[in-house]
């Protein structure tokens, strides 16, 4: 297990803080950088990838499921503008597989073999998946900046980040290798290749507290992805025909789209005495909307490679309600979560 699968002997975080002046600070080392405000939506929380296979996955804290990276971060406070400029550079010193979201197994959503699916009448049997992780070189380094400021009681963030598409990996091609000659040939192996395309992400977030009369925190977060890459369903493949006795390559169509994601969160601490006489119960409501600006139904793009049923819609909406509280001085934290996704048209 230790040699072939994973090891727990890992130094997750180690960094050094350097003060270069009264208002200038650098943090260099293996670390987490958190920019987003909306939790699981992660519209702007895009610097560190996540490991969704870790223990109880979505029930774990974000500090535990984020994958720390070697990062150089600079922070410049500008009191006159009531804000601070933060710049990050990820030189890609980590293991390539640690620089993107950890895919699930062969039966998991992001780990499924791309189309055409295994349950078709095709004789293709996928024997291997190869993830083409970003290389450890300067050309693949990531860079971004955030401006965080305040306007009275309003806190705001402006974010830009040049990165890779961390999830899902996009199937680009597969190769079918054969043994023998054209006559009576037998397909020996099909190997699928999945890539993580380059991507720009920019956006903003607003955070405001209404103290009276409702005592509610309102958060708005929005991101714009000008070149998000989508895989396609199994009925739109381009095939590079090869001689039957040679390796046969099939290329998957992909499409780059402009996508706007917007999330709104309402959060209010409330005493419900018969449920918890000592601690408040945090009530949270979230609305998440995604809009593919240059959507074209004929492109047959999908959300999850390998699942033709996950057709991407021009507009998609998700509603979430959550409530949680603490007992025994924080040792026990029960949580209730409900989600509603309207049917796709």
């Amino acid at each position: 297990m230790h040699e072939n699968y994973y090891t727990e002997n890992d130094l997750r975080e180690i960094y050094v803080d350097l003060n270069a002046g009264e208002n200038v600070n650098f943090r260099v080392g293996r670390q987490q950088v958190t920019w987003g405000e909306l939790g699981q939506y992660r519209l702007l929380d895009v610097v560190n990838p996540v490991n969704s296979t870790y223990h109880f996955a979505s029930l774990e804290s974000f500090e535990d499921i984020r994958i720390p990276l070697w990062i150089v971060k600079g922070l410049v406070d500008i009191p006159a503008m009531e804000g601070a400029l933060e710049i990050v550079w990820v030189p890609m010193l980590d293991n390539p597989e640690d620089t993107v979201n950890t895919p699930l197994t062969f039966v998991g959503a992001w780990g499924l073999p791309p189309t055409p699916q295994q349950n078709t009448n095709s004789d293709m049997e996928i024997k291997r998946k190869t993830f083409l992780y970003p290389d450890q070189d300067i050309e693949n380094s990531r860079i971004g900046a955030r401006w965080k400021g305040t306007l009275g009681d309003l806190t705001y963030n402006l974010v830009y980040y040049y990165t890779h598409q961390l999830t899902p990996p996009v199937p680009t091609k597969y190769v079918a290798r054969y043994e023998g000659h054209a006559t009576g040939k037998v397909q020996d192996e099909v190997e699928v290749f999945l890539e993580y395309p380059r991507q720009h992400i920019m956006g903003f977030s607003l955070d405001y507290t209404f103290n009276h009369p409702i005592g509610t925190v309102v958060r708005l977060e929005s991101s714009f992805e000008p070149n998000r890459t989508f895989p396609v369903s199994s009925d739109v493949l381009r095939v590079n025909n090869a001689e039957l006795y040679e390796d046969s390559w099939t290329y998957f169509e992909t499409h780059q789209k402009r996508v706007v994601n917007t999330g709104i969160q309402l959060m209010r601490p409330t005493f419900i005495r018969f449920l918890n006489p000592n601690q408040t119960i945090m009530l949270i409501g979230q609305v998440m909307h995604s809009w593919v600006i240059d959507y074209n139904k004929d492109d047959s793009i999908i959300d999850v490679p390998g699942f033709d049923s996950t057709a991407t819609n021009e507009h998609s909406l998700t509603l979430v309600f959550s409530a949680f509280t603490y007992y025994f001085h924080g040792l026990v934290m029960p949580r209730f979560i409900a989600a509603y996704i309207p049917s796709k048209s």
Side-chain angles (χ1 to χ4, degrees):
M1 184 67 72
H2 178 88
E3 294 178 354
N4 297 319
Y5 293 97
Y6 64 86
T7 173
E8 293 292 346
N9 301 325
D10 185 29
L11 186 63
R12 274 184 60 83
E13 297 183 56
I14 179 170
Y15 50 80
V16 176
D17 285 330
L18 305 172
N19 293 319
E22 182 179 357
N23 297 319
V24 180
N25 175 268
F26 291 94
R27 174 170 289 182
V28 181
R30 191 169 170 83
Q31 57 183 294
Q32 297 185 33
V33 176
T34 306
W35 284 351
E37 304 289 343
L38 286 188
Q40 71 269 20
Y41 288 143
R42 305 191 75 239
L43 302 186
L44 300 178
D45 185 14
V46 292
V47 178
N48 292 91
V50 297
N51 182 357
S52 56
T53 68
Y54 179 77
H55 291 181
F56 294 103
S58 60
L59 298 181
E60 300 286 346
S61 67
F62 289 105
E63 288 75 14
D64 288 336
I65 65 174
R66 287 194 194 95
I67 303 175
L69 299 175
W70 290 100
I71 297 174
V72 177
K73 182 178 71 172
L75 181 66
V76 181
D77 286 316
I78 307 178
M81 300 179 64
E82 297 187 42
L85 176 64
E86 187 176 34
I87 299 176
V88 300
W89 176 49
V90 183
M92 303 295 281
L93 300 178
D94 297 88
N95 293 328
E97 61 269 22
D98 292 334
T99 62
V100 296
N101 289 0
T102 302
L104 301 180
T105 63
F106 272 78
V107 295
W110 309 138
L112 266 177
T115 53
Q117 298 182 34
Q118 295 283 68
N119 59 357
T120 65
N121 294 325
S122 170
D123 62 350
M124 184 181 77
E125 183 178 354
I126 294 175
K127 296 292 186 65
R128 181 191 308 225
K129 295 180 307 175
T130 298
F131 293 93
L132 302 179
Y133 298 110
D135 293 330
Q136 292 176 305
D137 58 49
I138 194 68
E139 293 182 356
N140 276 309
S141 63
R142 302 166 183 170
I143 190 169
R146 175 181 73 157
W147 172 263
K148 184 174 184 177
T150 58
L151 293 173
D153 295 331
L154 177 69
T155 301
Y156 68 95
N157 292 274
L158 304 175
V159 169
Y160 168 77
Y161 196 54
Y162 182 49
T163 181
H164 295 84
Q165 187 167 308
L166 302 185
T167 195
V170 179
T172 56
K173 60 186 177 181
Y174 70 79
V175 58
R177 296 185 173 91
Y178 298 93
E179 289 184 347
H181 297 282
T183 305
K185 70 181 181 67
V186 177
Q187 182 171 282
D188 179 59
E189 178 182 281
V190 172
E191 182 177 5
V192 174
F193 294 85
L194 301 98
E195 300 185 26
Y196 298 84
R198 276 296 206 174
Q199 183 182 22
H200 298 275
I201 299 176
M202 57 199 76
F204 70 91
S205 65
L206 305 175
D207 194 315
Y208 188 82
T209 301
F210 291 90
N211 293 314
H212 302 288
I214 57 177
T216 300
V217 177
V218 179
R219 289 173 174 165
L220 168 66
E221 189 165 305
S222 183
S223 68
F224 174 55
E225 303 168 86
N227 59 337
R228 182 167 185 84
T229 304
F230 288 87
V232 299
S233 63
S234 59
D235 60 348
V236 282
L237 299 177
R238 285 188 291 122
V239 179
N240 178 16
N241 293 320
E243 297 295 332
L244 295 178
Y245 55 83
E246 296 179 351
D247 290 351
S248 178
W249 287 89
T250 300
Y251 292 86
F252 294 89
E253 288 276 11
T254 61
H255 293 280
Q256 286 191 347
K257 300 292 184 180
R258 294 174 295 163
V259 181
V260 175
N261 305 294
T262 303
I264 300 175
Q265 175 178 280
L266 304 178
M267 184 168 59
R268 186 180 192 277
T270 304
F271 270 108
I272 304 179
R273 297 293 184 181
F274 71 93
L275 292 177
N276 192 337
N278 300 315
Q279 297 288 338
T280 60
I281 295 178
M282 189 65 70
L283 304 178
I284 301 175
Q286 293 180 331
V287 179
M288 167 67 181
H289 177 263
S290 182
W291 173 31
V292 181
I293 297 177
D294 43 356
Y295 178 81
N296 184 348
K297 188 175 182 180
D298 294 335
D299 290 336
S300 300
I301 56 178
I302 56 177
D303 292 331
V304 183
F307 279 100
D308 288 355
S309 60
T310 62
T312 302
N313 269 21
E314 180 179 4
H315 297 277
S316 59
L317 184 69
T318 304
L319 307 176
V320 176
F321 172 78
S322 176
F324 66 90
T325 188
Y326 298 91
Y327 294 98
F328 306 112
H329 304 288
L331 293 177
V332 177
M333 188 184 73
R335 182 185 305 174
F336 171 81
I337 301 176
Y340 173 67
I341 302 176
S343 299
K344 292 185 177 182
S345 58

